[in-house]
Amino acid sequence: MRKLIVGNWKMNGSLLSNADLLRALRTGLPAEPAADVAVCVPFPYLAQVQGACAGGPIAWGAQDVSAHEAGAYTGEVSASMLRDFGCRYVIVGHSERRQYHGETDDVVARKAQRALAAGITPIVCVGETQAQRDQGDTEFIVKRQLAAVIHVVGHCVSEIVVAYEPVWAIGTGRTATPEQAQAVHAVLRAQLRAAVPNERRVRILYGGSMNAGNAAALLAQPDIDGGLIGGASLKADEFLRIIAAAD
Ligand code: PEP
C-alpha cells in the first residue's frame, strides 16, 4: 500500500509564512513523491493552499468539521464547505479536540460520517493518554474510539484513514518506539479486518513527535502506513525528509 504523509499545521501559519512553506514543499518534492502527501491547515488558509497546490502532488484538508450538515451552528464549518475548497482530507477526533473541546467518541464518529457523505476522507485520530497506558488500558481505549466510528459509518469505514496518536507523544518529543506503535497498529488492523472485508484499503498512520530522524524506523513497521506530522510539518526540509523516508 502506498504510504500517506499528512502535515497537521495546527493553529500555526500566516499568509506570508504559508506561502514560503508551500513554495519550499512544491520545489523540494520530486514530480512523483515516494508517498501520498497532504497538509491539513487552519480554515482561513484553505483557499490559499488550494491556489498553491491545485494540480500538484500535495493534497490538502482541514483539521476539523462540523457534525451537522448546515444551519444555526455559529462558528462551525460544514463538510460541504470544505468540499467547496477542494479538501481531500479532514482530521477528526484529534486529541486536542477531544481534550480542549470535549469531543466524545460519538461526536467524532458523526464528524467522520459527515465528511464521508461529502466525499472527503476523514483521518480519524485515536490514542491513549499516559495514565491510560500506565493502567494497561491502551488497547481498550483505541478500540473503543475506533468502534464508535465503525458503529456509525458501517461498511464505509473502508474509506477512512486512521491515525494512531498516543497523546503522551504529541508535541512532547517523546515518540513511541517502532515496536510500541506497531503493537497498537496491529490491534487496529485486526479490528478493521473484523469489521469490513476490504480493510486493506484503510491506511493507519502513526502520529506523535515523528521527525526526520525517527520516521524511517516507524514507517518500516508492517502495519504503519504513513504518518500524521505536527511540529515537523512546519519545517519544509524536515517534512520533505519524512516524505522521502516513506520510500
Ligand atoms: C499532531 O498534532 O497530530 C502531532 C502528531 O503533533 P507532533 O508531530 O508535533 O507530535
Side-chain angles (χ1 to χ4, degrees), residues 145-227:
Q145 292 170 333
L146 182 57
V149 177
I150 294 170
H151 177 69
V152 170
V153 309
H155 67 275
C156 291
V157 78
S158 61
E159 306 301 322
I160 75 169
V161 168
V162 177
Y164 169 54
E165 297 210 308
V167 180
W168 47 271
I170 296 179
T172 59
R174 285 181 58 211
T175 318
T177 64
E179 295 73 25
Q180 282 174 322
Q182 167 56 31
V184 179
H185 281 235
V187 166
L188 294 169
R189 176 61 65 203
Q191 187 178 8
L192 288 166
R193 195 176 303 126
V196 277
N198 48 352
E199 52 82 26
R200 279 309 319 170
R201 293 166 61 114
V202 182
R203 290 184 280 200
I204 309 176
L205 315 183
Y206 168 79
S209 298
M210 191 186 267
N211 57 42
N214 59 32
L218 286 158
L219 294 170
Q221 298 301 308
D223 290 306
I224 300 188
D225 308 311

Side-chain angles (χ1 to χ4, degrees), residues 93-108 111:
H94 191 283
S95 64
E96 289 153 12
R97 303 254 3 134
R98 292 180 190 262
Q99 187 180 349
Y100 305 136
H101 301 272
E103 290 191 10
T104 61
D105 292 344
D106 181 58
V107 167
V108 172
K111 289 183 171 195

Side-chain angles (χ1 to χ4, degrees), residues 63-75:
Q63 301 168 13
D64 188 26
V65 65
S66 178
H68 305 283
E69 191 174 356
Y73 300 101
T74 303

